[in-house]
Amino acid sequence: MSTSLLPTESAAQRPGADMPMMKPHLYTYVAFDELEWLATGDESVVEYDGEAWIGGDFHRLWVKAAGEQSTSESHGDVEFQGLYSRAITPFWNLQTGLRFDHRYGEGTGASRAHVALGLEGLAPYWFEVEAFVFLSDDADASARLEASYETLLTQRLIVESEFETNVALQDVPELGLGSGFTDVELGARMRYEFVREFAPYVGYSWSRKLGETADVIRAADGEVGGGALVIGLHVWY
Amino acid sequence: MKRDEPSRGLTRRRFLEVGAAAGAAATLQTVTPRSLSGGPAFGTRPAVLDGREAEVEISIQEVRWAVDGRERRAVTMNGSVPGPLLRLREGTEAVIHVRNELDEPTSVHWHGLILPNGMDGVPGLNFPGIAPGETFTYRFPVQQAGTYWFHSHSGFQEQIGHFAAMIIDPAGPEPDPADREHVVILSDWTFENPHRIMARLKKHPDYYNNQRRTLGDFFADVSEQGLGATLSDRLDWGGMRMMASDVSDITGSTYTYLVNGRGPDDNWTGLFTPGERMKLRFVNAAAASFFDVRIPGLPLTIVESNGQPVAPVEVDEFRMAIGETFDVIVEPGEDRAYTLFAEAMDRSGFARATLAPSEGMEAEIPPKRERALLTMADMGHGGHAGHDMGQMEPDDAMDHAGHDMPEPEPMDHSGHDMGAMADMEHGPALRAPGTLPDDQMHGPDEHGAANAGVAMMATSRLHEAGIGLGSDGWRVLRYTDLAAREVRPNFRAPDREIELHLTGNMERYMWSIDGVHFRDAEPIEVRFGERIRLTMINDTMMNHPMHLHGMWMELENGRGDRIPRVHTVNVKPAEKISLLFDADALGPWAFHCHVLYHMDAGMFRIVHVVDPTMADQSGRHGDVA
């Protein structure tokens, strides 16, 4: 019965202060945009690129993880970022935090930490864009631009095209980086969304080292670039 | 099949038929909670709770409910979806005991009813809510007649079954007597958890849109309209980062659309005898779906809207926004079945029932119409309209003047209060009451990160049928068609205008008013006795059925002192709409979008009616009965 209709301590609060709607809603997101196997010439590689966030509409905590691991030998690299993300305009989030890189195996082990600052969002004409600058613990500055675009062949069959490039402001010899544009990557992956959360894909990924970075690799008789067929999964929850 | 046994508990000549089980149930004055141990409750048809002479009892229960042969957990009133039909009589006092048998809090809100604030049923605002195991008694004078409904105002319970229709018999003669009546409750059913739906929308707002434009559509448009026009159209939409196909954010990809709790395969059937004059009392009790309703072969005469008598309008189809009710007279003369067809606005599915002389009959189901696409006009970019001409009726695409209504009736009452207005103390003179709003350029405030775009020019679109409707060659109801049957009492100019912008950001699935989530918004304060013009400008690309609790709004649709009363009004994309209301009920009242997910996302305000002569009422839960 209507026993407690009159408010008690909350009498001074504004009306509605007790409504369940007043509680903040938190949402969580976990995704592997790419979880794939690259078939290259001599050795094959597993690559992954994922992200997760928790938060509300304006403020979120993000983690991003990306890396690759040889399937035949124990070397690879991993990059991990922990970021605070804030919606600053309808389509753009300002993100800032820390990035850790680690390279392991084959005697090339190296770790670096960075401060990261960037924008993540949706550009006009439906380009998903990430633009970041990084400052490492050795005071090396670099920048990265990533963009992707989806083309719907049908409601479930979707081609995602990607572009990524990195710029170093100075040489980082221990990582084999020369100043200027260091690399570029282009990819196209066609996925089939059995459900939105689960979509296997096939695609082609092409990458190339650029400029002085390419020179460094050539000097060491390394490969500066090439393409590979990829098979993978796009999953999220 | 046992037909209804009229009038054992009813004194009226006519009786209400809600299905085969209704006759027996209608004789019960109080329905006690039914044991659930007897197995699933599916297959049950709604009973009738007769609150006209006696107190009634509603039990909020969780049951397994089946739709089209598949089951899910439902939150129900007295164990059925929809809940029991509640009958009340104008001029009496309703006493309704609501017992919560769930393990979570619940509530019942009486949609469209004018009642004391403490009886309105919004937890945390008008009352504390009903805790598990508790009984709350709603007790209020019944001051109106017509078709209404009631539903939970707690969480997403309404989505999973907690809703029912309510008919209030008039104290005087029935304004539109019929030989037979059926209640037709439209709703949307999902086998998913609504919280999961909400979470998915927050992550991928187009999750449920399976009608997005594809590469194939691009080539089809190129061959039809040419490369230049197609590219220009795609660039217009892409530049705004909006989808022309974004008509409904939750669609038939998860929803089964129901009539009286029955899926299209279950085929709810309403019986008639050929030649009868039949009243269909439509309620859109969906959580997130608009319906376009027609009965091929039968003209539909709209006689009541939002529970209020309107001058009869004959149409072939009408759109129902969420929360709206319409009474429709049909006179099926032939001895055959008719399909009652309620297509989701985005054409992603339909609810279907049958009107027939006997059970088991069926009529043809109309073919699916082409998916609706938004146009630049829906974005308030009138100058670019025309790229999607094929989708629209001509006056949607080209004419936004809003003033040249197709109706022959002149706006003859629109000027008579001008003199009074000039005497007003409150700011600049307001437009004459009952008239349509003027076009309005958007101001500089873009409402921040919560809003993804503003309508450059907001216009009155009450004369438009709405997105994807009106070009089929038959008559479609428009808001300008609605005129109150009686002259509005106390019709006068407003004292003050309040302008609200409906805002949102589909990419983040944020919905708000003036760019501010309910959590961060101050209540809209109005003084008791004030007459307010509430002007709404929809800065989003979606339709928003806006619902004010506790007070009637009068929709300024150009009908002067016959403007219709509404409790819910749909605001189209880029539309400017105005309503009048008298702040004649003290207390904090809910005002919100009736898309349940938009409300949950923040498209909600409190309209707080205060009496400045009374001290200390800011935190009161209104005047408690």
Side-chain angles (χ1 to χ4, degrees), chain B residues 540-586:
Chain B
T540 79
M541 59 193 168
M542 304 205 93
N543 287 269
H544 298 291
M546 301 302 296
H547 171 48
L548 176 66
H549 292 211
M551 289 164 282
W552 284 116
M553 302 185 287
E554 300 165 12
L555 173 61
E556 294 192 284
N557 65 347
R559 296 289 184 167
D561 60 7
R562 287 178 187 263
I563 57 177
R565 267 176 169 178
V566 297
H567 45 64
T568 310
V569 64
N570 182 46
V571 191
K572 299 182 188 84
E575 182 166 49
K576 181 181 176 188
I577 199 168
S578 69
L579 305 108
L580 302 171
F581 74 90
D582 288 311
D584 55 6
L586 281 172

Side-chain angles (χ1 to χ4, degrees), chain A residues 98-117:
Chain A
L98 295 173
R99 165 183 152 193
F100 300 98
D101 294 356
H102 183 59
R103 238 161 81 172
Y104 54 94
E106 279 194 344
T108 57
S111 293
R112 285 204 303 174
H114 309 252
V115 173
L117 175 70

Side-chain angles (χ1 to χ4, degrees), chain A residues 1-2 4-7 10-25 27-29 53 57-58 60 87-93 122-126 128 151-156 158 193 195-197 236-237, chain B residues 97 122-128 135-137 196 198-200 202-204 206-207 209-212 214-215 235 238-243 448-449 451-452 505 507-508 510 518-519 521 523 588 599-600 604 606 608 618-619 621 624:
Chain A
M1 298 298 172
S2 51
S4 56
L5 273 176
L6 291 178
S10 63
Q13 291 180 317
R14 75 158 172 89
D18 300 330
M19 292 178 67
M21 277 186 71
M22 295 302 285
K23 297 197 184 91
H25 295 4
Y27 295 93
T28 56
Y29 178 71
W53 54 253
D57 290 332
F58 289 96
R60 287 173 181 171
I88 52 167
T89 74
F91 295 102
W92 294 98
N93 301 299
L122 184 67
Y125 313 108
W126 299 102
E128 295 273 1
T151 308
L152 272 65
L153 302 182
T154 72
Q155 300 297 327
R156 291 174 184 274
I158 295 167
E193 294 182 344
V195 293
R196 291 254 191 271
E197 291 91 338
W236 61 271
Y237 187 79
Chain B
H97 307 286
V122 181
L125 183 65
N126 307 114
F127 83 134
T135 299
F136 181 86
T137 297
R196 181 95 186 97
M198 186 70 184
R200 280 176 159 144
K202 284 281 182 186
K203 299 168 198 183
H204 284 278
D206 56 349
Y207 187 95
N209 185 353
N210 279 333
Q211 301 188 91
R212 294 168 295 174
T214 63
L215 196 61
L235 289 174
M240 293 186 298
R241 291 158 281 191
M242 293 186 185
M243 290 186 190
N451 187 49
N505 183 342
E507 270 306 300
R508 302 181 190 276
M510 293 172 74
F518 170 61
R519 259 196 305 277
M599 177 176 89
D600 187 74
F604 191 112
I606 293 166
H608 195 189
S618 57
H621 290 294
V624 175

